[in-house]
mmCIF file of all heavy atoms in Angstrom:
data_model
loop_
_atom_site.group_PDB
_atom_site.id
_atom_site.type_symbol
_atom_site.label_atom_id
_atom_site.label_comp_id
_atom_site.label_asym_id
_atom_site.label_seq_id
_atom_site.Cartn_x
_atom_site.Cartn_y
_atom_site.Cartn_z
ATOM 1 N N MET A 146 -181.246 -89.406 -8.158
ATOM 2 C CA MET A 146 -181.342 -90.782 -8.633
ATOM 3 C C MET A 146 -182.808 -91.131 -8.936
ATOM 4 O O MET A 146 -183.733 -90.518 -8.382
ATOM 5 C CB MET A 146 -180.703 -91.776 -7.666
ATOM 6 C CG MET A 146 -181.533 -92.067 -6.391
ATOM 7 S SD MET A 146 -180.636 -93.204 -5.325
ATOM 8 C CE MET A 146 -181.607 -94.671 -5.480
ATOM 9 N N PRO A 147 -183.022 -92.088 -9.813
ATOM 10 C CA PRO A 147 -184.397 -92.419 -10.184
ATOM 11 C C PRO A 147 -185.071 -93.292 -9.140
ATOM 12 O O PRO A 147 -184.520 -94.297 -8.695
ATOM 13 C CB PRO A 147 -184.239 -93.180 -11.513
ATOM 14 C CG PRO A 147 -182.867 -93.738 -11.469
ATOM 15 C CD PRO A 147 -182.036 -92.880 -10.552
ATOM 16 N N VAL A 148 -186.262 -92.884 -8.709
ATOM 17 C CA VAL A 148 -187.073 -93.709 -7.809
ATOM 18 C C VAL A 148 -188.511 -93.675 -8.314
ATOM 19 O O VAL A 148 -189.073 -92.586 -8.461
ATOM 20 C CB VAL A 148 -187.006 -93.193 -6.361
ATOM 21 C CG1 VAL A 148 -188.024 -93.973 -5.485
ATOM 22 C CG2 VAL A 148 -185.600 -93.306 -5.794
ATOM 23 N N GLY A 149 -189.070 -94.815 -8.560
ATOM 24 C CA GLY A 149 -190.469 -94.890 -9.016
ATOM 25 C C GLY A 149 -190.720 -94.023 -10.260
ATOM 26 O O GLY A 149 -191.737 -93.393 -10.380
ATOM 27 N N GLY A 150 -189.716 -93.962 -11.116
ATOM 28 C CA GLY A 150 -189.915 -93.258 -12.375
ATOM 29 C C GLY A 150 -189.597 -91.772 -12.358
ATOM 30 O O GLY A 150 -189.609 -91.125 -13.369
ATOM 31 N N HIS A 151 -189.282 -91.215 -11.133
ATOM 32 C CA HIS A 151 -188.884 -89.789 -11.128
ATOM 33 C C HIS A 151 -187.409 -89.685 -10.679
ATOM 34 O O HIS A 151 -186.906 -90.552 -9.962
ATOM 35 C CB HIS A 151 -189.692 -88.982 -10.078
ATOM 36 C CG HIS A 151 -191.160 -89.175 -10.194
ATOM 37 N ND1 HIS A 151 -191.924 -88.566 -11.149
ATOM 38 C CD2 HIS A 151 -191.991 -89.916 -9.430
ATOM 39 C CE1 HIS A 151 -193.166 -88.911 -10.975
ATOM 40 N NE2 HIS A 151 -193.277 -89.744 -9.949
ATOM 41 N N GLU A 152 -186.782 -88.595 -11.124
ATOM 42 C CA GLU A 152 -185.452 -88.294 -10.561
ATOM 43 C C GLU A 152 -185.691 -87.579 -9.241
ATOM 44 O O GLU A 152 -186.378 -86.560 -9.217
ATOM 45 C CB GLU A 152 -184.699 -87.357 -11.523
ATOM 46 C CG GLU A 152 -184.207 -88.010 -12.793
ATOM 47 C CD GLU A 152 -182.923 -88.767 -12.553
ATOM 48 O OE1 GLU A 152 -181.973 -88.148 -12.076
ATOM 49 O OE2 GLU A 152 -182.876 -89.981 -12.818
ATOM 50 N N VAL A 153 -185.132 -88.096 -8.167
ATOM 51 C CA VAL A 153 -185.345 -87.399 -6.891
ATOM 52 C C VAL A 153 -184.020 -87.075 -6.239
ATOM 53 O O VAL A 153 -183.023 -87.744 -6.498
ATOM 54 C CB VAL A 153 -186.202 -88.237 -5.933
ATOM 55 C CG1 VAL A 153 -187.586 -88.457 -6.488
ATOM 56 C CG2 VAL A 153 -185.512 -89.551 -5.611
ATOM 57 N N THR A 154 -184.021 -86.038 -5.387
ATOM 58 C CA THR A 154 -182.822 -85.725 -4.640
ATOM 59 C C THR A 154 -182.959 -86.146 -3.175
ATOM 60 O O THR A 154 -182.014 -86.044 -2.392
ATOM 61 C CB THR A 154 -182.526 -84.210 -4.672
ATOM 62 O OG1 THR A 154 -183.740 -83.556 -4.288
ATOM 63 C CG2 THR A 154 -182.099 -83.778 -6.041
ATOM 64 N N THR A 155 -184.173 -86.554 -2.832
ATOM 65 C CA THR A 155 -184.376 -86.969 -1.459
ATOM 66 C C THR A 155 -185.484 -87.988 -1.395
ATOM 67 O O THR A 155 -186.413 -87.966 -2.200
ATOM 68 C CB THR A 155 -184.691 -85.752 -0.562
ATOM 69 O OG1 THR A 155 -185.039 -86.204 0.721
ATOM 70 C CG2 THR A 155 -185.854 -84.950 -1.101
ATOM 71 N N ILE A 156 -185.408 -88.921 -0.469
ATOM 72 C CA ILE A 156 -186.418 -89.974 -0.361
ATOM 73 C C ILE A 156 -186.929 -89.982 1.094
ATOM 74 O O ILE A 156 -186.167 -89.992 2.040
ATOM 75 C CB ILE A 156 -185.836 -91.380 -0.643
ATOM 76 C CG1 ILE A 156 -185.078 -91.357 -1.970
ATOM 77 C CG2 ILE A 156 -186.941 -92.417 -0.663
ATOM 78 C CD1 ILE A 156 -184.276 -92.634 -2.219
ATOM 79 N N LYS A 157 -188.272 -89.957 1.230
ATOM 80 C CA LYS A 157 -188.868 -90.126 2.539
ATOM 81 C C LYS A 157 -189.494 -91.496 2.615
ATOM 82 O O LYS A 157 -190.086 -91.939 1.629
ATOM 83 C CB LYS A 157 -189.931 -89.081 2.770
ATOM 84 C CG LYS A 157 -189.441 -87.672 2.710
ATOM 85 C CD LYS A 157 -190.648 -86.711 2.840
ATOM 86 C CE LYS A 157 -190.206 -85.319 2.470
ATOM 87 N NZ LYS A 157 -191.322 -84.376 2.415
ATOM 88 N N GLY A 158 -189.416 -92.143 3.770
ATOM 89 C CA GLY A 158 -190.061 -93.423 3.846
ATOM 90 C C GLY A 158 -189.668 -94.182 5.113
ATOM 91 O O GLY A 158 -189.096 -93.630 6.062
ATOM 92 N N HIS A 159 -189.984 -95.506 5.106
ATOM 93 C CA HIS A 159 -189.649 -96.313 6.248
ATOM 94 C C HIS A 159 -188.550 -97.303 5.877
ATOM 95 O O HIS A 159 -188.509 -97.801 4.781
ATOM 96 C CB HIS A 159 -190.905 -97.090 6.716
ATOM 97 C CG HIS A 159 -191.894 -96.183 7.394
ATOM 98 N ND1 HIS A 159 -192.786 -95.409 6.704
ATOM 99 C CD2 HIS A 159 -192.100 -95.896 8.697
ATOM 100 C CE1 HIS A 159 -193.526 -94.697 7.524
ATOM 101 N NE2 HIS A 159 -193.114 -94.955 8.773
ATOM 102 N N LEU A 160 -187.629 -97.484 6.833
ATOM 103 C CA LEU A 160 -186.561 -98.420 6.585
ATOM 104 C C LEU A 160 -187.089 -99.826 6.735
ATOM 105 O O LEU A 160 -187.883 -100.109 7.633
ATOM 106 C CB LEU A 160 -185.416 -98.221 7.570
ATOM 107 C CG LEU A 160 -184.756 -96.835 7.507
ATOM 108 C CD1 LEU A 160 -183.490 -96.821 8.389
ATOM 109 C CD2 LEU A 160 -184.386 -96.448 6.099
ATOM 110 N N THR A 161 -186.714 -100.694 5.853
ATOM 111 C CA THR A 161 -187.207 -102.075 5.961
ATOM 112 C C THR A 161 -186.385 -102.810 7.024
ATOM 113 O O THR A 161 -185.367 -102.371 7.492
ATOM 114 C CB THR A 161 -187.043 -102.823 4.621
ATOM 115 O OG1 THR A 161 -185.654 -102.856 4.312
ATOM 116 C CG2 THR A 161 -187.823 -102.159 3.533
ATOM 117 N N ALA A 162 -186.913 -104.009 7.343
ATOM 118 C CA ALA A 162 -186.285 -104.774 8.427
ATOM 119 C C ALA A 162 -184.880 -105.192 8.093
ATOM 120 O O ALA A 162 -184.030 -105.305 8.979
ATOM 121 C CB ALA A 162 -187.136 -105.986 8.753
ATOM 122 N N ASP A 163 -184.591 -105.415 6.815
ATOM 123 C CA ASP A 163 -183.250 -105.875 6.488
ATOM 124 C C ASP A 163 -182.267 -104.727 6.217
ATOM 125 O O ASP A 163 -181.144 -104.934 5.826
ATOM 126 C CB ASP A 163 -183.235 -106.873 5.307
ATOM 127 C CG ASP A 163 -184.320 -106.533 4.309
ATOM 128 O OD1 ASP A 163 -185.219 -105.740 4.656
ATOM 129 O OD2 ASP A 163 -184.237 -107.017 3.163
ATOM 130 N N SER A 164 -182.740 -103.518 6.461
ATOM 131 C CA SER A 164 -181.836 -102.380 6.389
ATOM 132 C C SER A 164 -180.927 -102.415 7.608
ATOM 133 O O SER A 164 -181.392 -102.748 8.699
ATOM 134 C CB SER A 164 -182.695 -101.100 6.401
ATOM 135 O OG SER A 164 -181.935 -100.035 5.935
ATOM 136 N N PRO A 165 -179.624 -102.120 7.455
ATOM 137 C CA PRO A 165 -178.750 -102.153 8.642
ATOM 138 C C PRO A 165 -179.182 -101.141 9.716
ATOM 139 O O PRO A 165 -179.725 -100.104 9.390
ATOM 140 C CB PRO A 165 -177.359 -101.834 8.073
ATOM 141 C CG PRO A 165 -177.588 -101.191 6.783
ATOM 142 C CD PRO A 165 -178.907 -101.705 6.243
ATOM 143 N N LYS A 166 -178.920 -101.481 10.925
ATOM 144 C CA LYS A 166 -179.298 -100.583 12.012
ATOM 145 C C LYS A 166 -178.441 -99.305 11.980
ATOM 146 O O LYS A 166 -177.235 -99.356 11.751
ATOM 147 C CB LYS A 166 -179.059 -101.294 13.337
ATOM 148 C CG LYS A 166 -179.936 -100.824 14.440
ATOM 149 C CD LYS A 166 -179.830 -101.730 15.649
ATOM 150 C CE LYS A 166 -180.088 -101.046 16.967
ATOM 151 N NZ LYS A 166 -180.587 -99.714 17.002
ATOM 152 N N LEU A 167 -179.071 -98.187 12.122
ATOM 153 C CA LEU A 167 -178.341 -96.915 12.072
ATOM 154 C C LEU A 167 -177.630 -96.667 13.379
ATOM 155 O O LEU A 167 -178.153 -96.982 14.479
ATOM 156 C CB LEU A 167 -179.305 -95.774 11.756
ATOM 157 C CG LEU A 167 -179.982 -95.827 10.393
ATOM 158 C CD1 LEU A 167 -180.995 -94.710 10.268
ATOM 159 C CD2 LEU A 167 -178.945 -95.695 9.282
ATOM 160 N N GLU A 168 -176.448 -96.100 13.257
ATOM 161 C CA GLU A 168 -175.710 -95.758 14.477
ATOM 162 C C GLU A 168 -175.490 -94.282 14.611
ATOM 163 O O GLU A 168 -175.307 -93.583 13.610
ATOM 164 C CB GLU A 168 -174.351 -96.480 14.453
ATOM 165 C CG GLU A 168 -174.464 -97.837 15.103
ATOM 166 C CD GLU A 168 -173.313 -98.728 14.695
ATOM 167 O OE1 GLU A 168 -172.245 -98.190 14.363
ATOM 168 O OE2 GLU A 168 -173.518 -99.959 14.709
ATOM 169 N N CYS A 169 -175.488 -93.796 15.853
ATOM 170 C CA CYS A 169 -175.299 -92.366 16.050
ATOM 171 C C CYS A 169 -173.830 -92.035 16.185
ATOM 172 O O CYS A 169 -173.041 -92.797 16.773
ATOM 173 C CB CYS A 169 -176.009 -91.921 17.317
ATOM 174 S SG CYS A 169 -177.757 -92.041 17.191
ATOM 175 N N SER A 170 -173.477 -90.914 15.588
ATOM 176 C CA SER A 170 -172.086 -90.439 15.782
ATOM 177 C C SER A 170 -171.900 -89.918 17.206
ATOM 178 O O SER A 170 -172.811 -89.246 17.743
ATOM 179 C CB SER A 170 -171.828 -89.315 14.774
ATOM 180 O OG SER A 170 -170.907 -88.397 15.342
ATOM 181 N N GLU A 171 -170.762 -90.250 17.781
ATOM 182 C CA GLU A 171 -170.568 -89.808 19.167
ATOM 183 C C GLU A 171 -170.405 -88.295 19.245
ATOM 184 O O GLU A 171 -170.802 -87.680 20.201
ATOM 185 C CB GLU A 171 -169.327 -90.504 19.731
ATOM 186 C CG GLU A 171 -169.613 -91.179 21.057
ATOM 187 C CD GLU A 171 -168.473 -92.070 21.454
ATOM 188 O OE1 GLU A 171 -167.412 -91.498 21.739
ATOM 189 O OE2 GLU A 171 -168.638 -93.312 21.398
ATOM 190 N N LYS A 172 -169.802 -87.756 18.187
ATOM 191 C CA LYS A 172 -169.494 -86.338 18.242
ATOM 192 C C LYS A 172 -170.741 -85.475 18.030
ATOM 193 O O LYS A 172 -171.006 -84.533 18.746
ATOM 194 C CB LYS A 172 -168.434 -85.989 17.212
ATOM 195 C CG LYS A 172 -167.405 -84.982 17.705
ATOM 196 C CD LYS A 172 -166.231 -84.853 16.773
ATOM 197 C CE LYS A 172 -166.431 -83.745 15.777
ATOM 198 N NZ LYS A 172 -165.618 -83.874 14.568
ATOM 199 N N THR A 173 -171.495 -85.823 17.023
ATOM 200 C CA THR A 173 -172.602 -84.946 16.672
ATOM 201 C C THR A 173 -173.963 -85.469 17.109
ATOM 202 O O THR A 173 -174.926 -84.705 17.142
ATOM 203 C CB THR A 173 -172.678 -84.795 15.135
ATOM 204 O OG1 THR A 173 -172.979 -86.072 14.561
ATOM 205 C CG2 THR A 173 -171.362 -84.314 14.562
ATOM 206 N N GLY A 174 -174.053 -86.739 17.414
ATOM 207 C CA GLY A 174 -175.326 -87.289 17.816
ATOM 208 C C GLY A 174 -176.222 -87.635 16.637
ATOM 209 O O GLY A 174 -177.248 -88.319 16.806
ATOM 210 N N ALA A 175 -175.824 -87.182 15.422
ATOM 211 C CA ALA A 175 -176.616 -87.524 14.235
ATOM 212 C C ALA A 175 -176.283 -88.953 13.796
ATOM 213 O O ALA A 175 -175.267 -89.495 14.209
ATOM 214 C CB ALA A 175 -176.305 -86.528 13.135
ATOM 215 N N PHE A 176 -177.116 -89.488 12.933
ATOM 216 C CA PHE A 176 -176.819 -90.825 12.389
ATOM 217 C C PHE A 176 -175.554 -90.770 11.518
ATOM 218 O O PHE A 176 -175.467 -89.884 10.666
ATOM 219 C CB PHE A 176 -177.972 -91.373 11.521
ATOM 220 C CG PHE A 176 -179.201 -91.662 12.319
ATOM 221 C CD1 PHE A 176 -180.429 -91.188 11.949
ATOM 222 C CD2 PHE A 176 -179.110 -92.464 13.474
ATOM 223 C CE1 PHE A 176 -181.582 -91.478 12.673
ATOM 224 C CE2 PHE A 176 -180.243 -92.750 14.217
ATOM 225 C CZ PHE A 176 -181.496 -92.246 13.820
ATOM 226 N N ASN A 177 -174.686 -91.745 11.688
ATOM 227 C CA ASN A 177 -173.583 -91.905 10.728
ATOM 228 C C ASN A 177 -174.192 -92.374 9.417
ATOM 229 O O ASN A 177 -175.226 -93.048 9.425
ATOM 230 C CB ASN A 177 -172.596 -92.950 11.238
ATOM 231 C CG ASN A 177 -171.775 -92.383 12.371
ATOM 232 O OD1 ASN A 177 -171.456 -91.222 12.403
ATOM 233 N ND2 ASN A 177 -171.446 -93.275 13.338
ATOM 234 N N ILE A 178 -173.542 -92.011 8.332
ATOM 235 C CA ILE A 178 -174.005 -92.509 7.041
ATOM 236 C C ILE A 178 -173.725 -94.016 7.024
ATOM 237 O O ILE A 178 -172.578 -94.443 7.144
ATOM 238 C CB ILE A 178 -173.242 -91.827 5.880
ATOM 239 C CG1 ILE A 178 -173.343 -90.319 6.007
ATOM 240 C CG2 ILE A 178 -173.757 -92.335 4.538
ATOM 241 C CD1 ILE A 178 -174.605 -89.696 5.630
ATOM 242 N N PRO A 179 -174.780 -94.861 6.866
ATOM 243 C CA PRO A 179 -174.540 -96.314 6.898
ATOM 244 C C PRO A 179 -173.978 -96.788 5.560
ATOM 245 O O PRO A 179 -173.896 -96.027 4.606
ATOM 246 C CB PRO A 179 -175.931 -96.857 7.113
ATOM 247 C CG PRO A 179 -176.847 -95.830 6.510
ATOM 248 C CD PRO A 179 -176.144 -94.515 6.648
ATOM 249 N N GLU A 180 -173.621 -98.057 5.518
ATOM 250 C CA GLU A 180 -173.075 -98.619 4.291
ATOM 251 C C GLU A 180 -174.121 -98.529 3.162
ATOM 252 O O GLU A 180 -173.793 -98.211 2.025
ATOM 253 C CB GLU A 180 -172.735 -100.084 4.527
ATOM 254 C CG GLU A 180 -171.443 -100.547 3.917
ATOM 255 C CD GLU A 180 -171.189 -101.971 4.336
ATOM 256 O OE1 GLU A 180 -170.974 -102.181 5.558
ATOM 257 O OE2 GLU A 180 -171.219 -102.842 3.470
ATOM 258 N N TYR A 181 -175.345 -98.850 3.541
ATOM 259 C CA TYR A 181 -176.462 -98.728 2.589
ATOM 260 C C TYR A 181 -177.739 -98.690 3.429
ATOM 261 O O TYR A 181 -177.704 -99.042 4.608
ATOM 262 C CB TYR A 181 -176.518 -99.908 1.600
ATOM 263 C CG TYR A 181 -176.781 -101.217 2.299
ATOM 264 C CD1 TYR A 181 -178.087 -101.685 2.424
ATOM 265 C CD2 TYR A 181 -175.726 -101.990 2.806
ATOM 266 C CE1 TYR A 181 -178.383 -102.890 3.063
ATOM 267 C CE2 TYR A 181 -175.984 -103.176 3.451
ATOM 268 C CZ TYR A 181 -177.302 -103.632 3.594
ATOM 269 O OH TYR A 181 -177.565 -104.780 4.240
ATOM 270 N N VAL A 182 -178.861 -98.247 2.835
ATOM 271 C CA VAL A 182 -180.137 -98.429 3.474
ATOM 272 C C VAL A 182 -181.143 -98.961 2.456
ATOM 273 O O VAL A 182 -180.984 -98.793 1.253
ATOM 274 C CB VAL A 182 -180.721 -97.087 4.020
ATOM 275 C CG1 VAL A 182 -179.967 -96.607 5.214
ATOM 276 C CG2 VAL A 182 -180.827 -96.046 2.943
ATOM 277 N N ILE A 183 -182.143 -99.679 2.999
ATOM 278 C CA ILE A 183 -183.245 -100.086 2.140
ATOM 279 C C ILE A 183 -184.491 -99.400 2.660
ATOM 280 O O ILE A 183 -184.835 -99.555 3.839
ATOM 281 C CB ILE A 183 -183.414 -101.634 2.187
ATOM 282 C CG1 ILE A 183 -182.090 -102.273 1.774
ATOM 283 C CG2 ILE A 183 -184.529 -102.048 1.228
ATOM 284 C CD1 ILE A 183 -182.082 -103.766 1.902
ATOM 285 N N ILE A 184 -185.099 -98.598 1.793
ATOM 286 C CA ILE A 184 -186.151 -97.726 2.283
ATOM 287 C C ILE A 184 -187.380 -97.865 1.414
ATOM 288 O O ILE A 184 -187.298 -97.960 0.173
ATOM 289 C CB ILE A 184 -185.651 -96.257 2.334
ATOM 290 C CG1 ILE A 184 -186.703 -95.334 2.888
ATOM 291 C CG2 ILE A 184 -185.216 -95.793 0.938
ATOM 292 C CD1 ILE A 184 -186.150 -93.958 3.229
ATOM 293 N N THR A 185 -188.569 -97.969 2.056
ATOM 294 C CA THR A 185 -189.839 -98.003 1.338
ATOM 295 C C THR A 185 -190.352 -96.585 1.231
ATOM 296 O O THR A 185 -190.740 -95.988 2.239
ATOM 297 C CB THR A 185 -190.874 -98.843 2.064
ATOM 298 O OG1 THR A 185 -190.210 -99.945 2.660
ATOM 299 C CG2 THR A 185 -191.964 -99.322 1.157
ATOM 300 N N PRO A 186 -190.380 -96.010 0.015
ATOM 301 C CA PRO A 186 -190.790 -94.602 -0.060
ATOM 302 C C PRO A 186 -192.240 -94.447 0.283
ATOM 303 O O PRO A 186 -193.063 -95.347 0.056
ATOM 304 C CB PRO A 186 -190.533 -94.265 -1.532
ATOM 305 C CG PRO A 186 -189.705 -95.370 -2.076
ATOM 306 C CD PRO A 186 -190.005 -96.588 -1.287
ATOM 307 N N ASP A 187 -192.560 -93.249 0.783
ATOM 308 C CA ASP A 187 -193.940 -92.916 1.109
ATOM 309 C C ASP A 187 -194.743 -92.797 -0.152
ATOM 310 O O ASP A 187 -194.228 -92.565 -1.240
ATOM 311 C CB ASP A 187 -194.000 -91.534 1.786
ATOM 312 C CG ASP A 187 -193.385 -91.580 3.163
ATOM 313 O OD1 ASP A 187 -193.270 -92.695 3.699
ATOM 314 O OD2 ASP A 187 -192.998 -90.503 3.656
#
Side-chain angles (χ1 to χ4, degrees):
Chain A
M146 74 181 250
V148 173
H151 311 282
E152 287 279 304
V153 297
T154 51
T155 173
I156 309 170
K157 299 175 193 173
H159 287 82
L160 299 188
T161 61
D163 35 343
S164 198
K166 206 170 153 7
L167 294 175
E168 269 160 27
C169 292
S170 148
E171 231 168 70
K172 220 169 93 201
T173 65
F176 291 131
N177 287 326
I178 306 284
E180 220 175 297
Y181 65 91
V182 289
I183 304 175
I184 184 167
T185 322
D187 292 339

